[in-house]
Amino acid sequence: MEYNGNKATISPTTINSSTFSPSSSSSPPSSQTSAPSFPSPASSPPAVVLSPCAACKILRRRCVDKCVLAPYFPPTEPYKFTIAHRVFGASNIIKFLQDLPESQRADAVSSMVYEASARIRDPVYGSAGSIFQLQKQMNELQEQLAKAQAELVNMQSHQANLLALICMEMAQSGEATVLQQHQQQEQDYSIDPNCFYEENSLLDSSWSPLWS
């Protein structure tokens, strides 16, 4: 190709046949198109929970889908994580939960929250102070129960004695009434010998004029 001024002219050139030989020619384009590449699931970022858990909300961090704290610190109960975080710390709580199986994590969280609340109330003894107070109350209640049971036994014995006395009095009064009735019957059926003497005297007085 030659340029003359503003015009371009194409000069004939000889084309070597070896340039387009089958060995040196490029392969025809393939008819199959390659599939679009998608990122692998492992390389995709973790899904973000729309409503963060109470722990992530207090710590001001993103709450991922597999958050260890989310099942045990729901957003409706922020006080649980506040109390536990104040005593144990977020890193220790996460470490405790990761070292335990999932079946025991709920009980562990409840224990941590109880221990933290007891430690806040009593910084010296913590939950041990609460346990000591409960044991003291239990001993006092057991003593009161023993006293009440002793008083109940005494009342039952007094009641039994009273019932025995009442039965004895009723039996004695019943025997007395029976004895009185028996004596009354004997008096009713007894015969007075004086009555025969009086009758004889009346007969003698009635027959005496007849013989005179």
Side-chain angles (χ1 to χ4, degrees):
M1 182 181 292
E2 296 178 357
Y3 292 91
N4 296 324
N6 295 329
K7 295 182 180 180
T9 59
I10 300 173
S11 60
T13 58
T14 59
I15 300 174
N16 191 3
S17 62
S18 62
T19 307
F20 294 95
S21 62
S23 60
S24 63
S25 62
S26 60
S27 60
S30 175
S31 60
Q32 296 179 355
T33 59
S34 61
S37 61
F38 294 98
S40 61
S43 62
S44 60
V48 179
V49 181
L50 296 178
S51 59
C53 64
C56 295
K57 189 174 182 180
I58 293 172
L59 297 175
R60 296 180 180 179
R61 68 179 188 181
R62 296 175 62 187
C63 188
V64 296
D65 189 13
K66 295 182 179 180
C67 179
V68 181
L69 303 174
Y72 313 105
F73 299 102
T76 56
E77 299 177 353
Y79 64 92
K80 292 175 63 177
F81 183 77
T82 303
I83 295 172
H85 175 58
R86 183 177 175 181
V87 176
F88 296 101
S91 60
N92 291 327
I93 295 173
I94 294 172
K95 185 178 178 180
F96 291 157
L97 294 178
Q98 287 177 349
D99 293 339
L100 292 174
E102 293 185 0
S103 60
Q104 299 178 1
R105 291 179 180 178
D107 295 335
V109 169
S110 300
S111 300
M112 283 190 288
V113 172
Y114 179 79
E115 175 66 27
S117 60
R119 183 67 62 178
I120 291 172
R121 289 194 305 269
D122 190 355
V124 178
Y125 297 104
S127 61
S130 301
I131 294 171
F132 177 75
Q133 293 294 332
L134 292 174
Q135 287 180 349
K136 185 178 179 181
Q137 292 179 4
M138 185 177 67
N139 293 331
E140 292 176 355
L141 292 174
Q142 286 179 351
E143 291 178 358
Q144 293 178 4
L145 180 62
K147 290 180 180 178
Q149 289 177 350
E151 291 178 357
L152 180 62
V153 171
N154 291 330
M155 292 177 65
Q156 289 178 351
S157 62
H158 287 309
Q159 184 179 5
N161 294 330
L162 289 174
L163 289 174
L165 290 174
I166 291 170
C167 292
M168 290 175 64
E169 290 179 357
M170 290 179 64
Q172 290 177 359
S173 62
E175 291 177 357
T177 53
V178 170
L179 183 60
Q180 290 177 0
Q181 291 178 0
H182 183 66
Q183 290 177 355
Q184 185 68 30
Q185 290 177 358
E186 287 181 352
Q187 290 178 2
D188 292 339
Y189 291 103
S190 63
I191 299 173
D192 189 6
N194 296 325
C195 66
F196 294 102
Y197 179 76
E198 292 176 357
E199 289 179 357
N200 292 328
S201 62
L202 290 173
L203 289 173
D204 293 339
S205 61
S206 62
W207 286 100
S208 58
L210 294 176
W211 296 100
S212 58

